[in-house]
Amino acid sequence: MTDWLSPDEWRAVALSLRVSLWAVAASLPFGILTAYALARWEFRGKQMLNGIVHLPLILPPVVTGYLLLLTFGRKGAVGQILDQWFGIVLAFRWTGAALAAAVMAFPLMVRAIRLAVEAVDPKLEQAAGTLGASRPWVFLTVTLPLILPGVLAGTILAFAKAMGEFGATITFVSNIPGQTQTLPSAIYAFLQVPGGEKEAARLVLVAVGIAMAALMLSEWISRAVARRIAGT
């Protein structure tokens, strides 16, 4: 692939992989907690939380990116604190691209995990609780193994979504080659240059290949884990 793609194209692919991996890794614990809360808990503001989680699916990605810029930019409410207190800058950095990708992919992750949690019979958890196990221990030893196919599927789907994220990312971190130019941003940049269709087509093939591989891997892992759980 290094011979087929130019150095700039390869950097865009590598950055997309880096951004997507960090986006999924950082959001997974929150995704599991949010999915479990929406599936099992009753609390005030539950519908509000559900709406906020799924809002990126409804809003135009550019709007989401603009809201991230207002919130996490250097002059934003959160971004100013991160910059002044911790020296962390997200806007126009690859870390900001990871944040944007995580926000856009989060609803898919939560939905897959939530469906898996709702498919688990609560009586199994209650039975473990009557034997003296604490709630965290019940979750780790009973719930988590049963929802593992959903967790894996949600993780890989979120990774594929993060790889393809464009609107929120380019709004929040711009399109800086070698710094914030991800795979979709590079395709967009090539299409704006006369004669750049060939380079864009190569990157499109890479994007399609990665997305298809992720979807097939998600399906294979989910079925393998489900068969293993059913056999125990």
Side-chain angles (χ1 to χ4, degrees), residues 140-166:
L140 290 175
T141 59
V142 177
T143 310
L144 187 57
L146 292 175
I147 68 172
L148 191 56
V151 172
L152 293 174
T155 299
I156 298 176
L157 287 175
F159 173 81
K161 172 63 177 176
M163 281 290 298
E165 167 50 33
F166 173 70

Side-chain angles (χ1 to χ4, degrees), residues 8-195:
D8 289 339
E9 293 166 354
W10 175 245
R11 277 192 290 269
V13 174
L15 181 61
S16 286
L17 292 171
R18 182 185 185 188
V19 164
S20 300
L21 287 172
W22 274 101
V24 170
S27 61
L28 182 58
F30 300 100
I32 294 175
L33 177 61
T34 303
Y36 189 84
L38 291 175
R40 286 285 189 264
W41 299 346
E42 293 296 333
F43 55 91
R44 182 177 299 177
K46 179 177 178 179
Q47 294 304 319
M48 177 68 70
L49 175 61
N50 186 57
I52 292 174
V53 167
H54 291 88
L55 198 59
L57 291 179
I58 303 171
L59 286 176
V62 174
V63 174
T64 302
Y66 181 65
L67 293 176
L68 288 173
L69 188 61
L70 290 178
T71 305
F72 293 96
R74 281 192 168 183
K75 295 184 179 180
V78 178
Q80 191 172 10
I81 296 175
L82 293 176
D83 184 18
Q84 295 180 356
W85 291 13
F86 304 101
I88 299 175
V89 178
L90 296 175
F92 308 106
R93 301 286 194 278
W94 76 267
T95 49
L99 174 62
V103 170
M104 295 301 296
F106 195 69
L108 295 178
M109 177 188 291
V110 170
R111 186 165 184 81
I113 300 175
R114 180 181 180 179
L115 291 174
V117 174
E118 291 175 343
V120 175
D121 189 350
K123 293 181 180 179
L124 296 175
E125 299 169 320
Q126 295 170 3
T130 58
L131 296 176
S134 63
R135 287 189 176 182
W137 187 247
V138 170
F139 177 80
L140 290 175
T141 59
V142 177
T143 310
L144 187 57
L146 292 175
I147 68 172
L148 191 56
V151 172
L152 293 174
T155 299
I156 298 176
L157 287 175
F159 173 81
K161 172 63 177 176
M163 281 290 298
E165 167 50 33
F166 173 70
T169 301
I170 200 171
T171 305
F172 185 38
V173 301
S174 190
N175 186 11
I176 307 172
Q179 297 185 40
T180 65
Q181 189 177 74
T182 57
L183 184 56
S185 300
I187 294 173
Y188 174 79
F190 280 126
L191 290 176
Q192 305 310 303
V193 179

Side-chain angles (χ1 to χ4, degrees), residues 156 214-224:
I156 298 176
L215 291 173
M216 293 173 64
L217 181 63
S218 171
E219 184 71 16
W220 180 79
I221 291 178
S222 297
R223 290 186 178 183

